[in-house]
Amino acid sequence: MKRCILLITAMLVLIIQPASADNGKTFMGVGAHFAGKNFEFDKSTGASFTAGHHWNETWALVLETLFLDDFDISNPLTDDDVDVRQVSALLRWYPIITNSAKPYISAGIGYLDIHVSDDNTLNGRLSKADICARGNMGIDWPLNDNLALEIELAGTAGIDKLSLVSFHDWNMKLLYTF
């Protein structure tokens, strides 16, 4: 599953970046995440990769990946911790544009894969994957013409087979604009 997510992400990045590099509005970044359930703090850390493109000052299309390990989300599979892998496509709206900070909200759908972290004896039977809904709100702080610091609060809710899975994550990303 990790390879599939990384391959999809790499392909989308290679498609998005050359097509829009002349406009100077494509961005990519990496981030660190802290995730929780019901706003409890003893949960999981992880990482993410983000790529997107602003088609004007107030709208952007964003592809986001999320990797969380040993996450205690009281999941429907088991009482054990799970590993979470997610890829989402989001539509982002910047309602206020300033030179110092740009707040935003975004929403979209994605693919969520969860499996038990210590799954050696069960041959993968405690793994599930399905679509999910994702939304976030945050602020982009420009550091210079190309770099920005992004801080956000996001939430994910599983759909269908994963309807009992929901969590939120706080994250901080460093973005580079081409």
Side-chain angles (χ1 to χ4, degrees):
M1 182 60 205
K2 286 182 189 179
R3 290 182 192 149
C4 180
I5 291 173
L6 291 174
L7 180 63
I8 291 169
T9 302
M11 288 174 40
L12 287 171
V13 166
L14 292 173
I15 292 168
I16 291 172
Q17 199 279 327
S20 54
D22 294 340
N23 298 336
K25 296 181 181 180
T26 299
F27 59 93
M28 293 183 198
V30 294
H33 286 251
F34 178 80
K37 171 107 174 130
N38 298 328
F39 294 93
E40 294 174 10
F41 292 100
D42 184 23
K43 296 300 175 189
S44 177
T45 57
S48 69
F49 176 79
T50 300
H53 180 70
H54 291 277
W55 69 77
N56 64 32
E57 287 294 316
T58 57
W59 293 97
L61 183 61
V62 179
L63 174 71
E64 181 177 81
T65 61
L66 175 63
F67 304 96
L68 299 170
D69 290 323
D70 298 327
F71 191 19
D72 176 17
I73 58 173
S74 302
N75 68 83
L77 304 175
T78 178
D79 289 334
D80 294 329
D81 293 346
V82 298
D83 293 336
V84 174
R85 305 295 179 252
Q86 178 180 309
V87 175
S88 301
L90 305 159
L91 183 61
R92 184 176 286 182
W93 177 50
Y94 295 88
I96 302 168
I97 305 298
T98 67
N99 289 333
S100 59
K102 294 189 247 182
Y104 64 85
I105 57 174
S106 56
I109 60 170
Y111 178 77
L112 178 64
D113 176 52
I114 63 173
H115 63 276
V116 175
S117 301
D118 194 11
D119 198 6
N120 296 335
T121 61
L122 301 171
N123 296 323
R125 288 182 292 148
L126 293 179
S127 296
K128 292 211 184 274
D130 211 337
I131 60 173
C132 65
R134 180 136 173 106
N136 48 34
M137 62 182 165
I139 298 175
D140 286 348
W141 274 292
L143 302 175
N144 61 32
D145 289 342
N146 295 98
L147 290 176
L149 181 65
E150 181 175 282
I151 298 172
E152 74 180 8
L153 170 63
T156 296
I159 298 173
D160 200 19
K161 290 189 290 186
L162 297 175
S163 62
L164 297 177
V165 176
S166 64
F167 60 91
H168 62 276
D169 56 284
W170 294 272
N171 52 72
M172 183 180 298
K173 299 174 193 159
L174 186 61
L175 300 176
Y176 180 78
T177 302
F178 294 90

